Amino acid sequence: MRSDTHKKLRDHLQDEIFFNWDGSEFKIAPQKLTAYFFITLHCVYCIDLIPCLNEIKEKYPAIDIVLISSGSQEDHKEMVDYFQWTFPVVEMEKLEMHKHFDVTMQPYMMIADANRTIHSSTVVYNTEDVLRIYRSIT
């Protein structure tokens, strides 16, 4: 599975364009170590993880964050406004997460570098899970 996901990031997604919460185009092209969080707004664990993203970003500002969520553009705007996020929040349904990233469970986190090399790809439930993985790769 790791090689499939690695191939999808390196080859398949290289030219694909998604849309940020504000309607702007967003391309999966990490410039540095980037954590991609996959959530659905129908998942209790995912909802619990949402407020943790600020703490995670604060503790590891050198790692970019991208949130990929099944929520609507309106849901995402409300989250960005409430949490004052500056990172991208991409709208994507669960089936699309599976198609583009081989992600079938949420909340899920994938960390890739600027070469699209995956350093971690796993289910996460809370800040401690995320920070443990961050520490293991930095």
Side-chain angles (χ1 to χ4, degrees), residues 80-99:
V80 167
D81 289 345
Y82 182 80
F83 292 107
Q84 299 180 2
W85 289 335
T86 57
F87 53 81
V89 181
V90 176
E91 182 179 344
M92 188 178 294
E93 292 300 321
K94 283 180 73 171
L95 289 174
E96 293 297 306
M97 290 178 198
H98 177 62
K99 175 184 169 187

Side-chain angles (χ1 to χ4, degrees), residues 36-39 43 45-46 48-49 53 56 105-111 120-134:
Y36 298 90
F37 290 91
F38 299 84
I39 66 165
C43 160
Y45 297 113
C46 298
D48 288 345
L49 186 64
L53 296 178
I56 293 163
M105 297 179 66
Q106 290 81 22
Y108 197 85
M109 179 182 72
M110 185 182 305
I111 299 179
S120 179
S121 182
T122 188
V123 173
V124 292
Y125 293 106
N126 53 45
T127 304
E128 292 77 27
D129 290 345
V130 174
L131 295 179
R132 184 180 68 254
I133 293 164
Y134 272 34

Side-chain angles (χ1 to χ4, degrees), residues 51-63:
C52 301
L53 296 178
N54 282 341
E55 179 183 353
I56 293 163
K57 185 63 181 163
E58 184 178 301
K59 289 187 181 207
Y60 286 86
I63 301 177

Side-chain angles (χ1 to χ4, degrees), residues 56-73:
I56 293 163
K57 185 63 181 163
E58 184 178 301
K59 289 187 181 207
Y60 286 86
I63 301 177
D64 283 344
I65 289 178
V66 175
L67 179 63
I68 299 172
S69 165
S70 68
S72 68
Q73 188 174 12

Side-chain angles (χ1 to χ4, degrees), residues 14-27:
Q14 198 165 17
D15 295 322
E16 282 197 79
I17 296 190
F18 300 99
F19 292 94
N20 198 359
W21 67 272
D22 61 2
S24 63
E25 291 184 349
F26 179 77
K27 193 175 199 177

